[in-house]
């Protein structure tokens, strides 16, 4: 893979990474929407009286929605704020309420965000690393682990600055009720109307802090490589899949509270806040601990780990194959160009040879 990357321009590596990420995330997208819904919900407390209230185990038929003065259907609170008891319960209720299509709500925006984020990450990683190497004297050793982690963190931060608006809009699409769900552009306008243009960068601080996630992933990958496959210098695809998946699991467990806080920042605030959005991921975490206890910071970790396990492994395998295809394509185009130049040179030599007797006369 290292040999392949030397033959690829930055955009080639970026396209390969973005393609692998889109394919991997498209396959496991239902897990993404389930973990987002689990992470954004706040655990309900039992009512003090004996009056039956809609709970997460109660299914109500779709109500007849009465429009407001602007003609917009008004969604009852018990329908808008459905609660789930785990991954399977969420899948069952989403399918019963919205059909299978509900598991793919906001998929277009999500895949757009995945593609743009990974394209930007791999592009900036190549650019920043090349800039660092340009300042090193000839014959310097390859960058160490600390430098690689630093380069990855800088690339991740730059990628977030350019792509977080798509993540904000996608999170909003995934967490609102289907009656309130709008298109990508309309949802973006809604965010701007509520919080101004800066609302599209809500959760940026949490996202910048979360660049430690790939750093942990990379460090765990190296350690697990030494422990599980100590004698394998060149990893096979299934070995890379296992190492990538396990390392991503460890990184997810370590950063899950920040992931939950980021989702809380980018989604609509819970009903108890009366529409007042959170200002920082610290405020989100404090709110969750107050209402659900410390374990609330790890809600949705099941589908989060499963998604990371599958996506990271598939991403690495697909990216490697895409890079190989690009390398072969570039080699073919290079050979084609060389053949064309050789033919032009032969034609020029033949023309010069025909013209030489005339010049002698």
């Amino acid at each position: 893979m290292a040999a392949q990357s030397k033959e690829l321009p930055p955009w080639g590596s970026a396209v390969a990474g973005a393609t692998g990420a889109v394919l991997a995330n498209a396959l496991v997208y239902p897990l993404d929407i389930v973990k987002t819904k689990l992470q954004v919900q706040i655990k309900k407390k039992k009512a003090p009286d004996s009056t039956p209230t809609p709970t997460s185990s109660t299914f109500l038929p779709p109500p007849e929605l009465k429009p407001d003065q602007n003609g917009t259907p008004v969604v009852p609170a018990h329908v808008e704020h459905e609660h789930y008891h785990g991954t399977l319960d969420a899948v069952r209720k989403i399918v019963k309420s919205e059909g299978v299509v509900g598991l793919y709500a906001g998929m277009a925006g999500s895949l757009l965000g995945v593609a743009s984020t990974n394209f930007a990450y791999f592009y900036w990683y190549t650019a920043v690393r090349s800039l660092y190497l340009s300042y090193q004297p000839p014959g310097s050793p390859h960058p160490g682990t600390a430098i690689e982690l630093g380069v990855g963190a800088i690339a991740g931060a730059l990628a977030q600055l350019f792509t977080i608006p798509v993540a904000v809009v996608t999170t909003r699409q995934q967490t609102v009720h289907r009656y309130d769900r709008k298109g990508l552009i309309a949802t973006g306008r809604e965010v701007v109307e509520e919080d101004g243009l800066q609302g599209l960068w809500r959760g940026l601080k949490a996202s910048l802090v979360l660049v430690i996630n790939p750093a942990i992933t990379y460090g765990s990958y190296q350690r697990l490589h030494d422990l599980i496959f100590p004698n394998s210098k060149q990893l096979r695809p299934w070995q890379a899949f296992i190492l990538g998946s396990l390392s991503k699991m460890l990184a997810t467990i370590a950063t899950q509270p920040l992931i939950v806080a980021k989702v809380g920042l980018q989604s609509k605030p819970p009903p108890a806040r009366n529409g007042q959005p959170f200002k920082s991921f610290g405020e989100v975490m404090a709110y969750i601990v107050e209402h659900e206890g410390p374990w609330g910071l790890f809600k949705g970790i099941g589908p989060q780990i499963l998604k990371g396990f599958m996506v990271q492994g598939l991403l690495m395998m697909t990216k490697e194959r895409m890079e190989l295809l690009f390398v072969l394509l570039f080699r073919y185009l290079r050979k084609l160009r060389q053949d064309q130049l050789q033919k032009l040179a032969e034609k020029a030599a033949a023309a010069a040879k025909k013209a030489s007797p005339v010049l002698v006369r």
Side-chain angles (χ1 to χ4, degrees):
M1 188 171 177
Q4 295 173 11
S5 61
K6 292 180 180 179
E7 300 184 50
L8 283 176
W11 67 264
S13 180
V15 170
T19 303
V22 168
L23 292 176
N25 280 273
L27 291 175
V28 300
Y29 184 77
L31 286 174
D32 185 50
I33 195 169
V34 167
K35 66 93 179 172
T36 301
K37 286 181 177 291
L38 288 173
Q39 290 170 353
V40 76
Q41 72 179 5
I42 300 297
K43 189 176 181 180
K44 287 185 177 181
K45 297 181 179 179
K46 293 183 179 180
D49 55 14
S50 58
T51 304
T53 56
T55 62
S56 58
S57 60
T58 302
F59 284 110
L60 297 178
E64 295 183 2
L65 303 181
K66 297 181 180 180
D68 59 11
Q69 58 182 0
N70 297 322
T72 303
V74 178
V75 183
H78 71 270
V79 175
E80 184 177 1
H81 305 292
E82 181 68 272
H83 277 238
Y84 312 101
H85 294 298
T87 303
L88 295 179
D89 183 60
V91 171
R92 183 169 59 89
K93 290 180 178 178
I94 292 172
V95 171
K96 187 165 185 177
S97 173
E98 306 181 42
V100 177
V101 69
L103 295 174
Y104 296 88
M107 183 175 179
S110 177
L111 294 184
L112 176 62
V114 166
S116 59
T117 299
N118 282 272
F119 183 93
Y121 176 82
F122 287 112
Y123 186 90
W124 285 115
Y125 179 85
T126 304
V128 173
R129 192 174 190 275
S130 299
L131 180 64
Y132 169 80
L133 293 176
S134 66
Y135 284 95
Q136 302 303 307
S140 298
H142 293 291
T145 303
I147 297 298
E148 293 287 4
L149 293 178
V151 170
I154 294 174
L158 290 171
Q160 289 296 330
L161 287 173
F162 287 97
T163 61
I164 196 172
V166 181
V168 171
V169 173
T170 301
T171 301
R172 174 68 65 89
Q173 287 182 310
Q174 291 178 336
T175 54
V176 299
H177 193 271
R178 62 190 174 109
Y179 295 113
D180 286 337
R181 193 171 296 140
K182 302 176 182 178
L184 192 68
I185 303 299
T187 305
R189 289 175 178 171
E190 183 181 69
V191 174
V192 173
E193 289 174 359
E194 293 178 0
D195 300 328
L197 194 61
Q198 67 272 16
L200 293 174
W201 276 266
R202 186 190 299 169
L204 178 60
K205 291 181 180 179
S207 298
L208 293 178
V209 173
L210 277 172
V211 299
I212 64 174
N213 188 288
I216 296 174
T217 302
Y218 178 85
S220 301
Y221 186 93
Q222 296 300 326
R223 293 297 181 184
L224 291 173
H225 181 202
D226 296 337
L227 291 174
I228 302 177
F229 305 112
N231 300 322
S232 299
K233 295 183 179 180
Q234 188 67 33
L235 293 175
R236 297 178 180 180
W238 67 269
Q239 292 175 326
F241 181 93
I242 290 177
L243 291 180
S245 300
L246 292 177
S247 61
K248 190 64 176 179
M249 287 175 60
L250 295 175
T252 299
I253 293 173
T255 59
Q256 180 69 6
L258 292 176
I259 295 174
V260 173
K262 176 185 173 184
V263 173
L265 278 172
Q266 294 177 342
S267 62
K268 277 190 173 182
R273 291 180 62 87
N274 299 319
Q276 181 182 0
F278 294 104
K279 299 300 182 181
S280 67
F281 61 90
E283 185 180 358
V284 180
M285 295 170 70
Y287 185 87
I288 293 173
V289 171
E290 179 184 355
H291 289 79
E292 303 182 62
W295 287 111
L297 297 174
F298 292 88
K299 56 187 176 181
I301 194 171
Q304 181 84 45
I305 289 179
L306 183 57
K307 177 199 170 188
F309 182 91
M310 298 178 66
V311 167
Q312 188 69 17
L314 293 172
L315 169 58
M316 294 180 65
M317 293 177 65
T318 306
K319 181 177 182 293
E320 184 175 351
R321 293 299 178 269
M322 286 295 299
E323 286 186 344
L324 178 59
L325 289 176
F326 274 123
V327 169
L328 295 176
L329 176 61
F330 291 153
R331 288 177 181 174
Y332 172 76
L333 294 177
R334 194 180 301 116
K335 184 177 182 302
L336 190 64
R337 183 181 179 185
Q338 290 175 349
D339 292 342
Q340 291 177 345
L341 291 175
Q342 186 176 358
K343 289 180 181 179
L344 291 175
E346 291 175 354
K347 288 181 180 180
K353 187 175 182 181
K354 291 180 180 179
S356 59
V358 177
L359 295 175
V360 171
R361 292 174 188 170

